[in-house]
């Protein structure tokens, strides 16, 4: 009996089922916590980039979540939006905040990236991200290798041009998408 | 006494990284800092302990021809639990380790110990073998991560220890640095044994 093919199939099926149910149970315990963590990291990003913000309201347009930011007097002061695209190795997810006319960028935050440690991963560091603060976005942002000469330019990280360019194009794409979603 | 012998196999005599050269992918890839090495080591302790215990306790039920598939399913289950746990409770570490947590599934230390030891020995022996091997892996990763972090960033576990005039050697954080440190450490281990 134990040598038969039927026995092999039975044991394999049984073990797979037990493991599957067990995993489903563990995941159902942790699911809320994981979602909460993602929301928390976005909220933290909003308060970092836009200290005046007092209240965040989530709006869903065509399946995309737009974060509307309000100040103390309940005036709309800007929008937050997540955008993602291909980086050097894996996709990069960027969260950015713009003012209410979508003319100025308030800043960006990298939510998820798996770039090369020490090189591409430096997109997470302040000196790169801070370049996006108060950036003019009436025309699309450009990524340059030399010192920036115009106000809508970002200087790329040395030896991580692809990652820097990826972040810039992801932000550009996100701004375009946000404009179409809001009909502006 | 026999149990201590089994434990010692993993901790020194038959060290998984420096002697058996197993699990090279996580060893080289995640040890960019001491903390990452530590987190990876802890994850492997959990996975190796539980999969060895399960494999050893059902070893008489497992048919020979599908045994590797069964080990892999059991290992994958425990790895996924670790992944979910890190994502839920330690998001920064989950972010730093990225895809290497799911890749513990194909870490040959775990499959190797299940096949070579747990499937042929009693549950208690399997427990001590798994403990020894995974603790050995942990200290190996920690030493490797510490050396790379000290030389590459001048810090250890995030604290600055080298003076600021020391120029950080970025190569130590890059994959090449991992190979260099691993080679030197394996050489030292060999020398000590002679």
């Amino acid at each position: 009996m134990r040598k038969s093919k039927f026995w092999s199939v039975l044991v394999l099926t049984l073990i797979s089922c037990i493991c599957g149910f067990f995993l489903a149970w563990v995941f159902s315990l942790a699911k809320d916590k994981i979602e909460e963590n993602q929301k928390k990291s976005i909220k933290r990003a909003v308060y970092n980039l836009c200290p005046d913000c007092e209240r965040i309201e989530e709006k869903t347009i065509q399946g995309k979540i737009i974060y509307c930011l309000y100040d103390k007097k309940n005036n709309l002061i800007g929008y937050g939006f997540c955008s993602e695209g291909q980086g050097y190795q894996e996709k990069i997810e960027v969260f950015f905040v713009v003012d209410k006319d979508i003319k100025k960028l308030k800043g960006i935050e990298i939510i998820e990236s798996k770039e090369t440690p020490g090189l591409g991963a430096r997109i997470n560091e302040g000196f790169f991200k801070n370049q996006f603060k108060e950036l003019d976005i009436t025309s699309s942002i450009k990524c340059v290798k030399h010192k920036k000469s115009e106000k809508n330019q970002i200087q790329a990280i040395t030896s991580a041009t692809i990652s820097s360019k990826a972040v810039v194009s992801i932000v550009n794409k996100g701004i375009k998408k946000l404009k179409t979603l809001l009909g502006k | 006494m026999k149990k201590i012998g089994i434990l010692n196999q993993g901790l020194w005599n038959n060290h998984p990284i420096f002697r058996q050269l197993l699990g090279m992918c996580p060893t080289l890839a995640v040890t960019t800092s001491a903390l990452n090495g530590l987190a990876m080591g802890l994850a492997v302790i959990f996975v190796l302990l539980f999969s060895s215990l399960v494999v050893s306790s059902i070893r008489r039920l497992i048919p020979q021809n599908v045994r590797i598939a069964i080990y892999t399913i059991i290992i994958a289950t425990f790895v996924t639990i670790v992944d979910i746990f890190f994502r839920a409770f330690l998001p920064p570490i989950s972010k730093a380790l990225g895809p290497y947590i799911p890749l513990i599934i194909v870490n040959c230390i775990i499959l190797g110990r299940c096949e070579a030891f747990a499937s042929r020995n009693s549950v208690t022996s399997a427990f001590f073998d798994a403990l020894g091997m995974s603790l050995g892996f942990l200290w190996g990763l920690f030493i490797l991560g510490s050396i790379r972090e000290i030389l590459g960033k001048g810090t250890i576990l995030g604290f600055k220890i080298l003076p600021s005039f020391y120029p950080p050697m970025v190569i130590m954080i890059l994959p090449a640095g991992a190979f260099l440190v691993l080679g030197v450490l394996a050489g030292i281990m060999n020398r000590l044994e002679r």
Side-chain angles (χ1 to χ4, degrees):
Chain A
M1 160 81 178
R2 287 204 173 170
K3 289 241 159 96
S4 71
K5 277 184 188 153
F6 176 71
W7 178 251
S8 309
V9 173
L10 187 75
V11 172
L12 197 53
T13 317
L14 262 179
I15 288 186
S16 310
C17 288
I18 295 171
C19 288
F21 279 118
F22 187 59
L23 273 186
W25 175 68
V26 171
F27 185 69
S28 70
L29 291 182
K31 203 174 109 204
D32 296 338
K33 193 85 191 157
I34 292 172
E35 276 173 13
E36 200 182 295
N37 280 336
Q38 268 167 351
K39 283 221 176 96
K40 250 192 218 157
S41 67
I42 285 183
K43 265 196 187 145
R44 215 178 299 133
V46 169
Y47 292 123
N48 270 340
L49 300 174
C50 187
D52 315 331
C53 174
E54 195 66 19
R55 191 166 65 82
I56 306 170
E57 203 182 272
E58 288 176 29
K59 227 192 239 171
T60 314
I61 303 178
Q62 292 171 23
K64 295 262 179 193
I65 301 175
I66 297 174
Y67 299 86
C68 301
L69 317 179
Y70 295 91
D71 69 357
K72 273 185 196 139
K73 289 170 192 151
N74 226 1
N75 296 323
L76 183 68
I77 48 171
Y79 300 101
F81 195 63
C82 272
S83 176
E84 59 176 50
Q86 184 62 37
Y88 183 63
Q89 289 173 338
E90 258 270 11
K91 70 171 195 205
I92 304 177
E93 197 176 340
V94 183
F95 177 79
F96 61 88
V97 173
V98 292
D99 69 346
K100 67 172 196 280
D101 305 317
I102 319 187
K103 291 222 166 91
K104 252 200 169 99
L105 199 60
K106 294 211 184 230
I108 66 163
E109 189 63 55
I110 315 289
I111 300 287
E112 213 179 304
S113 70
K114 295 188 173 73
E115 300 305 287
T116 325
L119 298 173
R122 295 178 76 194
I123 54 172
N124 281 299
E125 289 177 18
F127 81 95
F128 180 71
K129 286 190 298 190
N130 288 341
Q131 294 187 70
F132 288 88
K133 279 193 177 153
E134 303 299 321
L135 200 69
D136 186 85
I137 46 167
T138 37
S139 56
S140 61
I141 310 166
K142 284 187 190 81
C143 187
V144 293
K145 288 191 189 175
H146 47 83
K147 274 243 177 294
K148 46 188 181 179
S149 50
E150 282 171 51
K151 55 184 176 173
N152 66 338
Q153 287 179 337
I154 296 288
Q155 194 183 350
I157 302 167
T158 314
S159 66
T161 317
I162 295 179
S163 303
S164 320
K165 275 190 176 159
V167 173
V168 168
S169 83
I170 290 165
V171 173
N172 278 333
K173 206 177 75 182
I175 292 169
K176 221 181 240 172
K177 181 90 192 163
L178 184 65
K179 276 183 182 163
T180 42
L181 287 179
L182 290 167
K184 287 196 179 179
Chain B
M1 261 344 259
K2 204 180 139 234
K3 306 289 177 232
I4 293 175
I6 295 175
L7 202 63
N8 203 22
Q9 282 291 312
L11 285 174
W12 188 263
N13 294 344
N14 209 358
H15 191 276
I17 299 177
F18 303 122
R19 292 247 158 247
Q20 304 183 54
L21 293 180
L22 285 180
M24 285 298 107
C25 164
T27 304
L28 297 170
V30 305
T31 51
T32 49
S33 70
L35 186 68
N36 286 355
L38 216 54
M40 177 50 109
L42 290 175
V44 167
I45 290 182
F46 174 84
V47 174
L48 187 53
L49 267 184
F50 280 93
S51 22
S52 279
L53 285 179
V54 172
V55 166
S56 160
S57 51
I58 61 168
R59 66 186 188 278
R60 289 185 217 288
L61 292 173
I62 300 176
Q64 273 296 307
N65 48 357
V66 289
R67 65 184 196 285
I68 299 290
I70 289 177
Y71 301 158
T72 313
I73 293 171
I74 293 170
I75 295 166
T77 309
F78 288 113
V79 171
T80 315
I81 292 173
V82 171
D83 189 29
I84 293 172
F85 178 81
F86 275 169
R87 282 204 336 244
F89 298 102
L90 301 163
I93 289 190
S94 159
K95 212 175 162 185
L97 294 183
Y100 296 106
I101 290 290
L103 279 176
I104 298 175
I105 296 172
V106 287
N107 186 330
C108 23
I109 292 175
I110 297 165
L111 190 59
R113 290 333 283 173
C114 284
E115 163 73 3
F117 199 94
S119 65
R120 282 163 211 181
N121 288 285
S122 69
V123 177
T124 25
S125 302
F127 174 80
F128 281 100
D129 176 69
L131 196 66
M133 286 293 162
S134 50
L135 285 176
F137 191 59
L138 177 79
W139 78 251
L141 287 188
F142 184 70
I143 299 282
L144 214 70
S146 306
I147 295 175
R148 288 180 68 191
E149 193 181 338
I150 292 170
L151 295 178
K153 286 186 204 152
T155 60
I156 176 123
L157 292 169
F159 297 107
K160 197 138 189 69
I161 53 160
L162 288 184
S164 49
F165 61 78
Y166 168 80
M169 292 195 276
V170 180
I171 190 167
M172 283 316 202
I173 302 294
L174 296 178
F179 281 102
L180 283 174
V181 178
L182 177 72
V184 170
L185 285 179
I188 293 175
M189 279 286 272
N190 271 335
R191 183 78 207 167
L192 286 177
E193 205 72 349
R194 237 193 289 157

